[in-house]
Amino acid sequence: MRRSARVVLGLVVASAAALTLGVAPTAAAEPLPGPMPLADNWFQGPADLSGYANGDVIRSRPVEVRFPANTAWPVVKTTQLLYRTSDSFGAPVTTATTVMIPDRPWTGPGARPLLSQQQAMDALGLQCNPSVTLPAGKSQDLALISPMLALGYAVVTSDYQGPEMAWIAGRQTAHGVLDGIRAAQRFEPLGLSQSPVVLYGYSGGGHATAWAAEQKATYAPELNIIGAAEGGVPGDLAGLSEKQPAVGFTAWGTLLGLSREYPDKIRPQDYLNPEGIEFAKALTDGCLPDLLGKTKGISLAQYSKVGDILTIPSVKAVIEENSLARTAATPDMPLFVFHDTKDVLIPDWGMTGVVREYCNRGVDVQFAPGLGVDHVGGAFVGMPPAYKWLDDRVVGRPTTPNC
């Protein structure tokens, strides 16, 4: 069910339980605000989505992508699509994707391939999405995409966190990615219906890529995804939350992002003291640079009135649910997984256990440890071999798994 309905249901159940016990119900703490709606009404979907299937396009428009600001890229034709997807519980929602097609022909075998590139948004505000930052010239990811555009790949990059910006919510993220691919392939003017698809992402984008790869077989089995490259992934979110200090943007983003998708199970308004609630409200629409600055060195414990928030049973259960390789869902395409051995932000053991489990299930995995350059450096060192691995899938070279 949608967020608002889940909130109302939770309040009704709590009130009914209190009356059954013969006590007056207490006023529930007001939930923290969600993201501020965008001023551009193009992003507002219809109230009734029953006429649309997941991945169906609601509307489209041409845009220009820019990088840096005010410098247009005329070498790509760019289209934005608003499409239906579903949240973690199957309720219909809308989000947007940006599709870029280079002005050069594809000279490799078969149809022009489609790269689904998941940007590392790690954000709580809708204005941080690629559909906003790419036309505004504020997305450095455009430079990272350019090698694949130069090879003739089309690129789709979706606002995969959904309308509530549910940071780190795995199924919402997976659905946003997979339905973004569906939308790009169903929109006939783009001519991508026969394109083989490859996935790429790093850090938060790696998380989105990994979840899309894991959920694809059950959620979008018809998609021809032939490989996924994912780096710096917080795969074992439960283990990371248990062993890593709950400090900085990852801790606050996990708490606030998951509370938006699971408002009946994660309630920051009940865990934080008044100063903490005001601090959390100041993060409501933050993009990554702003969140990095505001939360640097700030722990959840600093504002908690209930002790270790991440050990509260309902919170812990949701974090477990949003960890990879916890269900029978299994990637059905080859994987290239890279992770730096000296990554302090997201230690490699946060993904090596997931890789081991995938290997045990028979997934074709090539794991590439990094060179000891930490998390940010791992993105730049790992990208060229990851792109090369994806291109090998497209041109038909054999995989080299090392399970």
Side-chain angles (χ1 to χ4, degrees), residues 93-170:
V93 295
T94 59
T95 193
T97 194
T98 304
V99 186
M100 292 165 277
I101 300 179
D103 64 355
R104 62 191 62 199
W106 167 249
T107 58
R112 184 192 297 273
L114 177 62
L115 169 69
S116 178
Q117 193 259 6
Q118 287 58 255
Q119 298 194 12
M121 288 179 285
D122 298 339
L124 295 170
L126 290 165
Q127 79 280 5
C128 316
N129 279 319
S131 62
V132 177
T133 60
L134 283 167
K138 297 179 180 179
S139 176
Q140 296 182 357
D141 279 67
L142 188 55
L144 301 180
I145 297 168
S146 60
M148 299 303 269
L149 290 169
L151 289 176
Y153 281 67
V155 175
V156 55
T157 181
S158 300
D159 302 353
Y160 55 77
Q161 292 184 171
E164 293 293 333
M165 291 301 287
W167 183 353
I168 216 75

Side-chain angles (χ1 to χ4, degrees), residues 159-206:
D159 302 353
Y160 55 77
Q161 292 184 171
E164 293 293 333
M165 291 301 287
W167 183 353
I168 216 75
R171 286 170 184 80
Q172 161 70 78
T173 292
H175 299 166
V177 171
L178 295 168
D179 286 325
I181 297 168
R182 281 170 162 164
Q185 296 201 296
R186 290 177 188 174
F187 190 63
E188 292 185 4
L190 297 179
L192 300 173
S193 62
Q194 301 303 310
S195 295
V197 181
V198 290
L199 311 177
Y200 175 83
Y202 187 81
S203 191

Side-chain angles (χ1 to χ4, degrees), residues 240-263:
L240 291 165
S241 297
E242 181 180 341
K243 298 177 183 179
Q244 290 283 91
V247 178
F249 81 102
T250 55
W252 286 96
T254 296
L255 177 68
L256 299 179
L258 289 178
S259 75
R260 294 175 174 185
E261 193 74 353
Y262 300 82

Side-chain angles (χ1 to χ4, degrees), residues 186-371:
R186 290 177 188 174
F187 190 63
E188 292 185 4
L190 297 179
L192 300 173
S193 62
Q194 301 303 310
S195 295
V197 181
V198 290
L199 311 177
Y200 175 83
Y202 187 81
S203 191
H207 170 268
T209 299
W211 268 93
E214 188 172 283
Q215 295 293 307
K216 179 261 176 187
T218 53
Y219 187 79
E222 82 283 3
L223 292 179
N224 182 27
I225 300 178
I226 60 175
E230 53 202 49
V233 179
D236 183 5
L237 191 61
L240 291 165
S241 297
E242 181 180 341
K243 298 177 183 179
Q244 290 283 91
V247 178
F249 81 102
T250 55
W252 286 96
T254 296
L255 177 68
L256 299 179
L258 289 178
S259 75
R260 294 175 174 185
E261 193 74 353
Y262 300 82
D264 51 339
K265 294 182 179 179
I266 300 183
R267 297 174 53 83
Q269 65 271 25
D270 292 343
Y271 315 145
L272 300 171
N273 61 30
E275 294 80 10
I277 290 175
E278 292 307 309
F279 180 78
K281 287 180 178 179
L283 306 178
T284 293
D285 283 300
C287 296
L288 180 56
D290 184 50
L291 294 174
L292 282 170
K294 286 184 176 179
T295 64
K296 184 177 182 180
I298 306 297
S299 69
L300 297 182
Q302 189 170 330
Y303 288 117
S304 174
K305 63 180 184 181
V306 295
D308 187 349
I309 293 173
L310 300 185
T311 63
I312 295 171
S314 61
V315 176
K316 191 172 182 179
V318 169
I319 292 174
E320 178 71 24
E321 183 178 332
N322 285 275
S323 297
L324 289 166
R326 295 306 203 270
T327 69
T330 302
D332 65 353
M333 76 289 290
L335 303 180
F336 181 83
V337 182
F338 58 106
H339 209 119
D340 196 77
T341 55
K342 299 296 184 182
D343 192 330
V344 176
L345 180 65
I346 305 173
D348 59 356
W349 54 258
M351 193 58 184
T352 51
V354 174
V355 168
R356 192 177 306 114
E357 176 62 23
Y358 286 164
C359 287
N360 291 339
R361 298 183 190 184
V363 181
D364 183 332
V365 184
Q366 181 175 337
F367 181 72
L371 302 176

